[in-house]
Coordinates of all heavy atoms in Angstrom, one line a residue:
M8 N 114.9 138.2 139.9 CA 114.9 137.0 139.2 C 113.7 136.9 138.4 O 113.8 136.4 137.2 CB 115.0 135.8 140.2 CG 115.0 134.5 139.5 SD 115.7 133.3 140.7 CE 115.5 131.9 139.7
A9 N 112.5 137.3 138.9 CA 111.3 137.3 138.0 C 111.4 138.2 136.8 O 110.8 138.1 135.8 CB 110.1 137.7 138.9
S10 N 112.2 139.3 137.0 CA 112.3 140.3 135.9 C 113.2 139.7 134.8 O 113.1 140.2 133.7 CB 112.9 141.6 136.4 OG 114.1 141.3 136.9
D11 N 114.0 138.6 135.0 CA 114.8 138.1 134.0 C 114.1 137.2 133.0 O 114.5 137.0 131.9 CB 115.9 137.2 134.7 CG 116.9 138.0 135.6 OD1 116.9 139.2 135.3 OD2 117.6 137.4 136.4
L12 N 112.9 136.7 133.4 CA 112.1 135.8 132.4 C 111.5 136.6 131.3 O 110.9 137.7 131.6 CB 111.1 135.0 133.2 CG 111.7 134.1 134.3 CD1 110.5 133.5 135.0 CD2 112.5 133.0 133.7
D13 N 111.6 136.1 130.1 CA 111.0 136.9 129.0 C 109.9 136.0 128.4 O 110.0 134.9 127.9 CB 112.1 137.0 127.9 CG 111.5 137.9 126.7 OD1 110.5 138.6 126.9 OD2 112.1 137.8 125.6
F14 N 108.6 136.5 128.7 CA 107.4 135.8 128.2 C 106.9 136.3 126.9 O 105.7 135.9 126.6 CB 106.3 135.8 129.3 CG 106.7 135.1 130.5 CD1 107.0 135.7 131.7 CD2 106.7 133.7 130.5 CE1 107.4 135.0 132.9 CE2 107.1 133.0 131.7 CZ 107.4 133.6 132.9
S15 N 107.6 137.0 126.1 CA 107.1 137.5 124.9 C 107.1 136.4 123.9 O 107.9 135.4 123.9 CB 108.0 138.6 124.4 OG 109.3 138.2 124.1
P16 N 106.1 136.4 122.9 CA 106.1 135.4 121.9 C 107.3 135.3 121.1 O 108.0 136.3 120.9 CB 104.8 135.7 121.1 CG 104.6 137.1 121.3 CD 105.1 137.4 122.7
P17 N 107.7 134.0 120.7 CA 108.9 134.0 119.8 C 108.7 134.7 118.5 O 107.6 134.7 118.0 CB 109.1 132.5 119.7 CG 107.8 131.9 119.9 CD 107.1 132.8 120.9
E18 N 109.8 135.1 118.0 CA 109.8 135.7 116.6 C 109.7 134.7 115.5 O 110.5 133.9 115.3 CB 110.9 136.6 116.4 CG 111.0 137.8 117.4 CD 112.2 138.7 117.2 OE1 112.8 138.6 116.1 OE2 112.5 139.4 118.0
V19 N 108.5 134.7 114.8 CA 108.3 133.8 113.7 C 108.2 134.5 112.4 O 107.4 135.5 112.4 CB 107.0 132.9 114.0 CG1 106.8 132.0 112.8 CG2 107.1 132.2 115.3
P20 N 109.0 134.2 111.4 CA 108.9 135.0 110.2 C 107.7 134.7 109.4 O 107.1 133.7 109.5 CB 110.1 134.4 109.4 CG 110.4 133.0 109.9 CD 110.0 133.1 111.4
E21 N 107.2 135.7 108.7 CA 106.0 135.6 107.9 C 106.2 134.5 106.8 O 107.3 134.4 106.3 CB 105.7 136.9 107.3 CG 105.2 138.0 108.2 CD 103.9 137.7 108.8 OE1 103.0 137.2 108.1 OE2 103.7 137.8 110.1
P22 N 105.2 133.7 106.6 CA 105.3 132.7 105.5 C 105.5 133.4 104.2 O 104.8 134.4 103.9 CB 104.1 131.8 105.6 CG 103.2 132.6 106.4 CD 103.9 133.6 107.2
T23 N 106.3 132.8 103.3 CA 106.5 133.3 101.9 C 105.4 132.9 101.0 O 104.5 132.2 101.4 CB 107.8 132.8 101.3 OG1 107.8 131.4 101.2 CG2 109.0 133.1 102.3
F24 N 105.4 133.5 99.8 CA 104.3 133.2 98.9 C 104.3 131.7 98.5 O 103.3 131.0 98.5 CB 104.6 134.0 97.6 CG 103.6 133.6 96.6 CD1 102.2 134.0 96.6 CD2 104.0 132.9 95.4 CE1 101.4 133.7 95.6 CE2 103.1 132.6 94.4 CZ 101.8 133.0 94.5
L25 N 105.5 131.1 98.4 CA 105.5 129.7 98.0 C 105.1 128.8 99.1 O 104.4 127.8 98.9 CB 106.9 129.3 97.6 CG 107.5 129.9 96.2 CD1 108.9 129.5 96.0 CD2 106.5 129.4 95.1
E26 N 105.3 129.1 100.4 CA 104.9 128.4 101.5 C 103.3 128.5 101.6 O 102.7 127.5 101.9 CB 105.5 128.9 102.8 CG 107.0 128.5 102.9 CD 107.6 129.2 104.1 OE1 107.0 130.2 104.7 OE2 108.8 128.8 104.5
N27 N 102.8 129.6 101.4 CA 101.3 129.8 101.4 C 100.7 128.9 100.3 O 99.6 128.3 100.4 CB 100.9 131.3 101.3 CG 101.1 132.0 102.6 OD1 101.0 131.4 103.6 ND2 101.2 133.3 102.5
L28 N 101.3 129.0 99.0 CA 100.8 128.3 97.9 C 100.9 126.8 98.2 O 99.9 126.1 97.9 CB 101.7 128.6 96.6 CG 101.2 128.0 95.4 CD1 99.9 128.5 94.9 CD2 102.3 128.3 94.3
L29 N 102.0 126.3 98.8 CA 102.0 124.9 99.1 C 101.0 124.5 100.2 O 100.3 123.5 100.1 CB 103.4 124.6 99.7 CG 103.7 123.1 100.1 CD1 103.6 122.3 98.9 CD2 105.1 123.0 100.7
R30 N 100.8 125.3 101.2 CA 99.8 125.1 102.3 C 98.4 124.9 101.7 O 97.7 123.9 101.9 CB 99.8 126.1 103.3 CG 98.7 125.9 104.4 CD 98.6 127.0 105.2 NE 99.7 127.3 106.1 CZ 99.9 128.4 106.7 NH1 99.0 129.4 106.6 NH2 100.9 128.6 107.5
Y31 N 98.0 125.9 100.9 CA 96.6 125.9 100.4 C 96.5 124.9 99.3 O 95.4 124.2 99.1 CB 96.2 127.2 99.8 CG 96.1 128.3 101.0 CD1 96.9 129.4 101.0 CD2 95.2 128.0 102.0 CE1 96.8 130.3 102.1 CE2 95.0 128.9 103.1 CZ 95.8 130.1 103.1 OH 95.8 130.9 104.1
G32 N 97.5 124.6 98.5 CA 97.5 123.5 97.5 C 97.3 122.1 98.2 O 96.5 121.2 97.8
L33 N 97.9 121.9 99.4 CA 97.8 120.6 100.1 C 96.3 120.5 100.7 O 95.7 119.5 100.7 CB 98.8 120.6 101.2 CG 100.2 120.3 100.8 CD1 101.2 120.4 101.9 CD2 100.3 118.9 100.1
F34 N 95.8 121.7 101.2 CA 94.4 121.7 101.6 C 93.4 121.3 100.5 O 92.5 120.4 100.7 CB 94.0 123.0 102.2 CG 94.5 123.2 103.6 CD1 95.2 124.4 103.9 CD2 94.3 122.3 104.6 CE1 95.7 124.5 105.3 CE2 94.7 122.4 105.9 CZ 95.5 123.6 106.2
L35 N 93.6 122.0 99.4 CA 92.8 121.6 98.2 C 92.9 120.2 97.8 O 91.9 119.5 97.4 CB 93.0 122.6 97.1 CG 92.6 124.0 97.3 CD1 93.0 124.8 96.1 CD2 91.1 124.1 97.5
G36 N 94.0 119.7 97.7 CA 94.3 118.3 97.4 C 93.6 117.3 98.4 O 93.0 116.3 98.0
A37 N 93.7 117.6 99.7 CA 93.1 116.7 100.7 C 91.5 116.8 100.5 O 90.8 115.8 100.6 CB 93.5 117.2 102.1
I38 N 91.0 118.0 100.2 CA 89.5 118.1 100.0 C 89.1 117.3 98.8 O 88.1 116.6 98.8 CB 89.1 119.6 99.9 CG1 89.3 120.2 101.3 CG2 87.7 119.7 99.4 CD1 89.2 121.8 101.2
F39 N 89.9 117.4 97.7 CA 89.6 116.6 96.5 C 89.6 115.2 96.8 O 88.7 114.4 96.3 CB 90.6 117.0 95.5 CG 90.4 116.3 94.2 CD1 89.3 116.6 93.3 CD2 91.2 115.3 93.8 CE1 89.1 116.0 92.1 CE2 91.1 114.6 92.6 CZ 90.0 114.9 91.8
Q40 N 90.6 114.7 97.6 CA 90.7 113.3 97.8 C 89.4 112.8 98.7 O 88.9 111.7 98.5 CB 91.9 112.9 98.6 CG 93.2 113.0 97.7 CD 94.4 112.6 98.4 OE1 94.4 112.3 99.7 NE2 95.5 112.5 97.7
L41 N 89.0 113.6 99.7 CA 87.8 113.2 100.4 C 86.6 113.2 99.6 O 85.8 112.3 99.7 CB 87.6 114.3 101.5 CG 88.6 114.2 102.7 CD1 88.4 115.4 103.7 CD2 88.6 112.9 103.4
I42 N 86.5 114.1 98.6 CA 85.3 114.1 97.7 C 85.4 112.8 96.9 O 84.3 112.2 96.6 CB 85.3 115.3 96.8 CG1 85.0 116.5 97.7 CG2 84.3 115.2 95.7 CD1 85.1 117.9 97.0
C43 N 86.5 112.4 96.4 CA 86.6 111.2 95.6 C 86.3 110.0 96.4 O 85.6 109.1 95.9 CB 88.0 111.1 95.0 SG 88.5 112.3 93.8
V44 N 86.8 109.9 97.6 CA 86.4 108.7 98.5 C 85.0 108.7 98.7 O 84.4 107.6 98.7 CB 87.3 108.8 99.8 CG1 86.9 107.8 100.8 CG2 88.8 108.6 99.5
L45 N 84.4 109.8 99.0 CA 82.9 109.9 99.4 C 82.1 109.4 98.1 O 81.1 108.8 98.2 CB 82.5 111.2 99.8 CG 83.0 111.6 101.3 CD1 82.6 113.0 101.6 CD2 82.3 110.7 102.2
A46 N 82.6 109.8 96.9 CA 81.9 109.5 95.7 C 81.9 108.0 95.4 O 81.0 107.4 94.9 CB 82.5 110.1 94.5
I47 N 83.0 107.3 95.9 CA 83.0 105.8 95.8 C 82.1 105.2 96.8 O 81.4 104.2 96.6 CB 84.5 105.3 95.9 CG1 85.2 105.8 94.7 CG2 84.5 103.8 96.1 CD1 86.8 105.6 94.8
I48 N 82.1 105.8 98.0 CA 81.4 105.0 99.1 C 79.9 105.3 99.0 O 79.1 104.4 99.2 CB 81.9 105.6 100.5 CG1 83.4 105.2 100.8 CG2 81.0 105.2 101.6 CD1 84.0 105.8 101.9
V49 N 79.6 106.5 98.6 CA 78.1 106.9 98.6 C 77.6 106.8 97.1 O 78.0 107.6 96.3 CB 77.9 108.3 99.2 CG1 76.3 108.6 99.1 CG2 78.4 108.4 100.5
P50 N 76.9 105.8 96.8 CA 76.4 105.6 95.4 C 75.2 106.6 95.2 O 74.3 106.7 96.0 CB 75.9 104.1 95.3 CG 75.5 103.8 96.7 CD 76.4 104.6 97.6
L51 N 75.2 107.2 94.1 CA 74.1 108.1 93.7 C 73.1 107.3 92.8 O 73.5 106.6 92.0 CB 74.6 109.4 93.0 CG 75.5 110.2 93.8 CD1 76.0 111.4 93.0 CD2 74.7 110.8 95.0
P52 N 71.8 107.6 93.0 CA 70.8 107.0 92.1 C 70.9 107.4 90.7 O 71.2 108.7 90.4 CB 69.5 107.3 92.7 CG 69.7 108.5 93.4 CD 71.1 108.4 93.9
K53 N 70.7 106.6 89.7 CA 70.8 107.0 88.3 C 69.5 107.7 87.9 O 68.5 107.5 88.4 CB 70.8 105.6 87.4 CG 72.2 104.9 87.6 CD 72.2 103.7 86.7 CE 73.4 102.9 86.9 NZ 73.5 101.7 86.0
S54 N 69.7 108.6 87.0 CA 68.6 109.4 86.5 C 67.7 108.6 85.6 O 68.1 107.6 85.0 CB 69.1 110.7 85.7 OG 69.8 110.2 84.6
H55 N 66.5 109.1 85.4 CA 65.6 108.3 84.5 C 65.9 108.3 83.1 O 65.7 107.4 82.3 CB 64.1 108.9 84.6 CG 63.6 108.8 86.1 ND1 63.3 107.6 86.5 CD2 63.4 109.7 87.1 CE1 62.8 107.7 87.8 NE2 62.9 109.0 88.1
E56 N 66.7 109.4 82.6 CA 67.1 109.5 81.2 C 68.2 108.4 80.9 O 68.1 107.8 79.8 CB 67.8 110.8 81.0 CG 66.7 112.0 81.1 CD 67.4 113.3 81.0 OE1 68.6 113.4 80.8 OE2 66.7 114.3 81.1
A57 N 69.0 108.1 81.9 CA 70.1 107.1 81.6 C 69.4 105.7 81.6 O 69.9 104.8 81.0 CB 71.1 107.2 82.7
E58 N 68.3 105.5 82.4 CA 67.7 104.2 82.4 C 66.9 104.0 81.2 O 66.7 102.8 80.7 CB 66.8 104.0 83.6 CG 67.5 103.9 84.9 CD 66.7 104.0 86.2 OE1 65.4 104.0 86.0 OE2 67.3 103.9 87.3
A59 N 66.3 105.0 80.6 CA 65.4 104.9 79.4 C 66.2 104.6 78.1 O 65.7 104.0 77.2 CB 64.6 106.1 79.2
E60 N 67.4 104.9 78.1 CA 68.2 104.8 76.9 C 68.5 103.4 76.6 O 68.4 103.0 75.4 CB 69.5 105.6 77.1 CG 70.3 105.8 75.8 CD 71.5 106.7 76.1 OE1 71.2 107.8 76.6 OE2 72.5 106.4 75.7
P61 N 68.9 102.5 77.5 CA 69.1 101.1 77.1 C 67.9 100.3 76.8 O 67.9 99.3 76.0 CB 69.7 100.5 78.4 CG 70.2 101.6 79.2 CD 69.3 102.7 78.9
L62 N 66.7 100.8 77.1 CA 65.5 100.1 76.8 C 65.1 100.2 75.3 O 64.3 99.4 74.8 CB 64.3 100.6 77.7 CG 64.5 100.3 79.2 CD1 63.3 101.0 79.9 CD2 64.6 98.9 79.5
E63 N 65.6 101.2 74.7 CA 65.2 101.4 73.3 C 66.0 100.3 72.4 O 67.1 100.0 72.6 CB 65.7 102.8 72.7 CG 65.0 104.0 73.5 CD 65.6 105.3 73.1 OE1 66.5 105.3 72.1 OE2 65.3 106.3 73.6
P64 N 65.3 99.7 71.5 CA 65.8 98.6 70.7 C 66.8 99.2 69.7 O 66.5 100.3 69.1 CB 64.6 98.0 70.0 CG 63.6 99.0 70.0 CD 63.7 99.9 71.2
R65 N 67.9 98.6 69.5 CA 68.9 99.0 68.5 C 69.1 97.9 67.5 O 69.0 96.8 67.9 CB 70.2 99.3 69.3 CG 70.2 100.4 70.2 CD 71.6 100.6 70.8 NE 71.6 101.7 71.7 CZ 72.6 102.1 72.4 NH1 73.8 101.5 72.3 NH2 72.6 103.1 73.2
S66 N 69.3 98.4 66.3 CA 69.4 97.4 65.2 C 70.9 96.8 65.3 O 71.8 97.5 65.8 CB 69.3 98.0 63.9 OG 70.3 99.0 63.7
A67 N 71.1 95.7 64.9 CA 72.3 94.9 64.9 C 73.4 95.7 64.1 O 74.6 95.6 64.3 CB 72.2 93.5 64.6
E68 N 72.9 96.2 63.0 CA 73.8 96.9 62.0 C 74.4 98.2 62.6 O 75.6 98.5 62.4 CB 73.1 97.3 60.7 CG 72.6 96.1 60.0 CD 71.9 96.5 58.8 OE1 72.4 97.3 57.9 OE2 70.6 96.2 58.7
V69 N 73.7 98.8 63.5 CA 74.3 100.1 64.1 C 75.3 99.8 65.2 O 76.3 100.4 65.2 CB 73.1 100.9 64.8 CG1 73.6 102.1 65.5 CG2 72.1 101.3 63.7
T70 N 75.1 98.7 65.9 CA 76.1 98.3 67.0 C 77.3 97.7 66.5 O 78.3 97.7 67.2 CB 75.3 97.5 68.0 OG1 74.9 96.3 67.4 CG2 74.2 98.2 68.7
R71 N 77.3 97.0 65.3 CA 78.5 96.4 64.8 C 79.5 97.4 64.3 O 79.1 98.4 63.7 CB 78.1 95.4 63.7 CG 77.5 94.2 64.2 CD 77.4 93.2 63.0 NE 76.4 92.3 63.2 CZ 75.7 91.6 62.2 NH1 76.1 91.8 61.0 NH2 74.7 90.7 62.5
K72 N 80.7 97.1 64.5 CA 81.8 97.9 63.9 C 82.3 97.2 62.7 O 82.4 96.1 62.6 CB 82.9 98.1 65.0 CG 82.6 98.8 66.2 CD 83.7 99.0 67.0 CE 83.3 99.8 68.3 NZ 84.4 99.9 69.2
P73 N 82.6 98.0 61.6 CA 83.1 97.3 60.4 C 84.5 96.7 60.7 O 85.3 97.4 61.3 CB 83.1 98.5 59.4 CG 83.2 99.7 60.2 CD 82.4 99.4 61.5
K74 N 84.6 95.6 60.1 CA 85.9 94.8 60.3 C 87.0 95.4 59.2 O 86.6 95.7 58.1 CB 85.8 93.3 60.2 CG 84.9 92.7 61.3 CD 84.8 91.2 61.1 CE 83.9 90.7 62.1 NZ 83.8 89.2 62.0
A75 N 88.2 95.4 59.6 CA 89.2 95.7 58.7 C 89.4 94.7 57.6 O 89.4 93.5 57.9 CB 90.5 95.9 59.4
A76 N 89.4 95.1 56.4 CA 89.5 94.2 55.3 C 90.9 93.6 55.1 O 90.9 92.3 55.0 CB 89.1 94.9 53.9
A77 N 91.9 94.3 55.3 CA 93.3 93.8 55.2 C 94.1 94.4 56.2 O 93.9 95.5 56.6 CB 93.7 94.1 53.8
P78 N 95.2 93.7 56.7 CA 96.1 94.3 57.7 C 96.9 95.4 57.0 O 97.0 95.5 55.8 CB 96.9 93.1 58.1 CG 96.8 92.0 57.0 CD 95.5 92.2 56.4
S79 N 97.4 96.2 57.8 CA 98.1 97.4 57.4 C 99.3 97.0 56.6 O 100.0 95.9 56.8 CB 98.6 98.2 58.5 OG 97.6 98.6 59.4
A80 N 99.7 97.8 55.5 CA 100.8 97.5 54.7 C 102.1 97.7 55.3 O 103.2 97.0 55.0 CB 100.7 98.3 53.4
N81 N 102.2 98.5 56.3 CA 103.4 98.8 57.0 C 103.9 97.8 58.0 O 105.0 97.8 58.5 CB 103.5 100.2 57.7 CG 102.3 100.3 58.7 OD1 101.6 99.3 59.0 ND2 102.3 101.4 59.4
K82 N 103.0 96.8 58.3 CA 103.3 95.7 59.3 C 103.9 94.6 58.6 O 103.4 94.1 57.6 CB 102.1 95.3 60.1 CG 101.7 96.4 61.1 CD 100.5 95.9 61.9 CE 100.0 97.0 62.8 NZ 98.8 96.4 63.6
R83 N 104.9 93.9 59.1 CA 105.5 92.8 58.5 C 104.8 91.6 58.9 O 104.3 91.4 60.1 CB 107.0 92.6 58.9 CG 107.9 93.7 58.4 CD 109.3 93.4 58.8 NE 110.2 94.4 58.3 CZ 111.5 94.5 58.6 NH1 112.0 93.6 59.4 NH2 112.2 95.5 58.1
P84 N 104.6 90.6 58.1 CA 104.0 89.3 58.6 C 104.8 88.6 59.6 O 106.1 88.7 59.5 CB 103.8 88.5 57.3 CG 104.8 89.1 56.3 CD 105.0 90.4 56.7
K85 N 104.1 87.9 60.5 CA 104.9 87.2 61.5 C 105.6 86.0 61.0 O 105.1 85.3 60.1 CB 103.9 86.8 62.6 CG 103.3 87.9 63.4 CD 102.4 87.4 64.5 CE 101.8 88.5 65.3 NZ 100.9 88.1 66.3
K86 N 106.7 85.7 61.6 CA 107.5 84.5 61.2 C 106.8 83.3 61.7 O 106.4 83.3 62.9 CB 108.9 84.6 61.6 CG 109.7 85.7 61.0 CD 111.1 85.8 61.4 CE 111.9 86.9 60.8 NZ 113.3 86.9 61.3
E87 N 106.7 82.3 60.9 CA 106.0 81.0 61.4 C 107.0 80.1 62.1 O 106.5 79.4 63.0 CB 105.3 80.3 60.2 CG 104.3 81.1 59.6 CD 103.5 80.4 58.5 OE1 103.7 79.1 58.5 OE2 102.9 81.0 57.7
A88 N 108.2 80.1 61.9 CA 109.1 79.2 62.6 C 110.3 80.0 63.1 O 110.8 80.9 62.3 CB 109.5 78.1 61.7
K89 N 110.8 79.6 64.2 CA 112.0 80.3 64.7 C 113.2 79.8 64.0 O 113.3 78.7 63.7 CB 112.1 80.2 66.2 CG 111.0 80.8 67.0 CD 111.3 80.7 68.5 CE 110.2 81.4 69.3 NZ 110.4 81.3 70.7
K90 N 114.2 80.6 64.0 CA 115.5 80.2 63.4 C 116.3 79.3 64.4 O 116.2 79.5 65.6 CB 116.4 81.4 63.1 CG 115.9 82.3 62.0 CD 116.9 83.4 61.7 CE 116.4 84.3 60.7 NZ 117.3 85.4 60.4
K91 N 116.9 78.2 63.8 CA 117.7 77.4 64.7 C 119.1 78.0 64.8 O 119.6 78.5 63.8 CB 117.7 76.0 64.1 CG 116.4 75.3 64.1 CD 116.5 73.9 63.5 CE 115.2 73.2 63.5 NZ 115.2 71.9 63.0
R92 N 119.7 77.8 66.0 CA 121.0 78.4 66.2 C 122.1 77.3 66.0 O 121.9 76.1 66.1 CB 121.1 78.9 67.6 CG 120.2 80.1 67.8 CD 120.5 80.7 69.1 NE 119.6 81.8 69.3 CZ 119.6 82.6 70.3 NH1 120.5 82.4 71.2 NH2 118.8 83.6 70.4

């Protein structure tokens, strides 16, 4: 009766290329998500170069954007009153 028992490991087929690609892709995706979550949780101090930049005075002319002189020709003007049915 003891000789009837088979304790050999079960036959498991080798994973295919696509299965390996999927496995490692999921691992890389999980690592990327952990890095993103840690970047949100752990704030990094700002560098001195980034802090020095806003202290420099800027002229009002440089920061303003030029306004459009006229609306585009391809747009129709809006109707002022709705049609009555």
Side-chain angles (χ1 to χ4, degrees):
M8 183 160 176
S10 63
D11 294 341
L12 298 175
D13 185 21
F14 292 110
S15 64
E18 295 180 17
V19 178
E21 289 292 320
T23 63
F24 173 74
L25 290 176
E26 290 172 343
N27 282 334
L28 183 67
L29 180 64
R30 175 193 293 164
Y31 293 119
L33 288 173
F34 280 129
L35 288 175
I38 291 170
F39 178 74
Q40 286 183 357
L41 288 174
I42 291 171
C43 290
V44 168
L45 288 175
I47 293 172
I48 293 173
V49 180
L51 296 178
K53 293 182 180 179
S54 66
H55 295 291
E56 294 173 4
E58 291 176 1
E60 197 172 308
L62 296 178
E63 296 175 5
R65 294 183 181 177
S66 64
E68 296 177 58
V69 176
T70 56
R71 285 189 205 159
K72 293 182 180 178
K74 295 181 180 179
S79 306
N81 60 359
K82 293 183 180 178
R83 293 183 181 176
K85 293 183 180 179
K86 295 181 181 178
E87 294 186 17
K89 292 184 178 180
K90 293 181 180 178
K91 293 182 180 179
R92 294 185 183 188

